[in-house]
Amino acid sequence: MSIDLAAYNKLLDELQPRNVRLVAVSKTKPVEDIKELYDAGQRDFGENYVQELVVKQTQLPDEIRWHFIGHLQSNKIKMIAPFVHLIHGVDSMRLLEAINKEGKKIGRRIKCLLQVHIAREESKFGFDTEEAKKAVEQVLADHHYDALELCGLMGMASFTDDHLLVEQEFKTLKRLFDEISAMFPDQQHFNILSMGMSGDYKLAMGCGSNMIRIGSMLFGSRN
Ligand SMILES: *Cc1c(COP(=O)(O)O)cnc(C)c1O
């Protein structure tokens, strides 16, 4: 299975006028596929599994910005901390604390997004909206967290054909993003709203997303 470059170029045409960044989600896909998209100009790639990410990172160019978009376990932070560009799925204070600790240890400020639970489904991880506000407040107010760079929010909508529901969920996240941005106007770094996947990115962009995470549309379906 190789890359659908026509789909890639068409997608870029949709994104670029709106200043939306594309994270190409390459989980389970071989390095050859990633290289193909890299050669077409793509630099941001997303992975869900730590071990897989670490192996791929050593086999591919250093210019790649690796996004970790999966559920991160505290004991694996150290494996990606030295090189990861952005951790999307930070879903608890405990994890923030652990990332901060690792960042201090290696002398690197680590970029994070807080994952907010917006879907109806029980299984999705994340802060609820009130918890997310408190977490941002806490991290920004306390110099203890100086190895973290809070760059914004990430969310996943319900997996459903109900477009109205998905739109509502994305709008909830956008509202929260705007609220937090207004609460901390001098936080220039807090500017990423990561929402939208192959099936719902158009809706997400319509709701104000500025970073989408696209896998199957570019790499083909996963097993
Ligand atoms: C797999 C995954 C994606 C990409 O999903 P597609 O439907 O293949 O585009 C995006 N975000 C997260 C968090 C994922 O786990």
Side-chain angles (χ1 to χ4, degrees), residues 13-21 202 205-207 209-210:
D13 286 344
E14 280 178 86
L15 304 190
Q16 280 166 348
R18 299 155 176 255
N19 264 323
V20 175
R21 275 169 71 189
K202 282 179 206 271
M205 290 195 328
C207 295
S209 166
N210 59 23

Side-chain angles (χ1 to χ4, degrees), residues 25 27 48 69-70 154 156 196-199 213-217 220 222:
V25 177
K27 62 184 173 205
N48 286 53
I69 64 172
M154 178 268 212
M156 276 191 280
M197 317 187 357
S198 293
R213 310 176 308 271
I214 303 289
S216 48
M217 200 184 142
R222 293 176 297 271

Side-chain angles (χ1 to χ4, degrees), residues 12-69:
L12 290 185
D13 286 344
E14 280 178 86
L15 304 190
Q16 280 166 348
R18 299 155 176 255
N19 264 323
V20 175
R21 275 169 71 189
L22 170 65
V23 177
V25 177
S26 46
K27 62 184 173 205
T28 79
K29 298 296 176 183
V31 291
E32 292 74 23
D33 286 5
I34 300 175
K35 190 63 178 24
E36 210 178 321
L37 208 51
Y38 176 87
D39 288 340
Q42 180 64 22
R43 290 295 178 269
D44 292 273
F45 289 89
E47 290 282 341
N48 286 53
Y49 310 103
V50 168
Q51 254 96 354
E52 185 181 347
L53 170 53
V54 169
V55 171
K56 286 175 171 174
Q57 189 262 339
T58 61
Q59 297 175 346
L60 286 155
D62 288 340
E63 286 72 27
I64 290 183
R65 293 183 288 267
W66 292 106
H67 297 243
F68 189 79
I69 64 172

Side-chain angles (χ1 to χ4, degrees), residues 35-179:
K35 190 63 178 24
E36 210 178 321
L37 208 51
Y38 176 87
D39 288 340
Q42 180 64 22
R43 290 295 178 269
D44 292 273
F45 289 89
E47 290 282 341
N48 286 53
Y49 310 103
V50 168
Q51 254 96 354
E52 185 181 347
L53 170 53
V54 169
V55 171
K56 286 175 171 174
Q57 189 262 339
T58 61
Q59 297 175 346
L60 286 155
D62 288 340
E63 286 72 27
I64 290 183
R65 293 183 288 267
W66 292 106
H67 297 243
F68 189 79
I69 64 172
H71 182 65
L72 184 57
Q73 290 166 290
S74 302
N75 60 350
K76 295 193 174 150
I77 297 168
K78 59 176 179 299
M79 297 172 68
I80 60 171
F83 67 86
V84 71
H85 174 68
L86 178 64
I87 302 176
H88 287 231
V90 181
D91 59 0
S92 69
M93 274 317 290
R94 241 190 75 232
L95 188 55
L96 274 176
E97 191 67 55
I99 295 170
N100 185 53
K101 194 171 161 198
E102 188 59 30
K104 282 181 198 269
K105 204 192 297 176
I106 63 171
R108 182 166 191 246
R109 211 158 172 229
I110 301 175
K111 293 179 163 56
C112 297
L113 303 180
L114 298 186
Q115 183 169 358
V116 181
H117 178 100
I118 50 172
R120 291 277 175 82
E121 293 146 34
E122 280 297 324
S123 63
K124 305 258 161 91
F125 297 100
F127 291 93
D128 70 31
T129 54
E130 284 311 307
E131 288 167 349
K133 272 188 231 170
K134 284 205 192 101
V136 176
E137 229 163 5
Q138 197 171 333
V139 169
L140 295 183
D142 192 339
H143 289 301
H144 165 68
Y145 294 104
D146 59 1
L148 292 179
E149 188 171 310
L150 269 193
C151 295
L153 303 178
M154 178 268 212
M156 276 191 280
S158 296
F159 188 69
T160 168
D161 290 334
D162 183 347
H163 287 194
L164 280 176
L165 178 61
V166 170
E167 194 169 42
Q168 248 176 43
E169 293 172 351
F170 284 148
K171 279 183 177 162
T172 300
L173 190 56
K174 173 65 158 92
R175 209 175 305 122
L176 178 65
F177 178 74
D178 288 343
E179 242 179 275

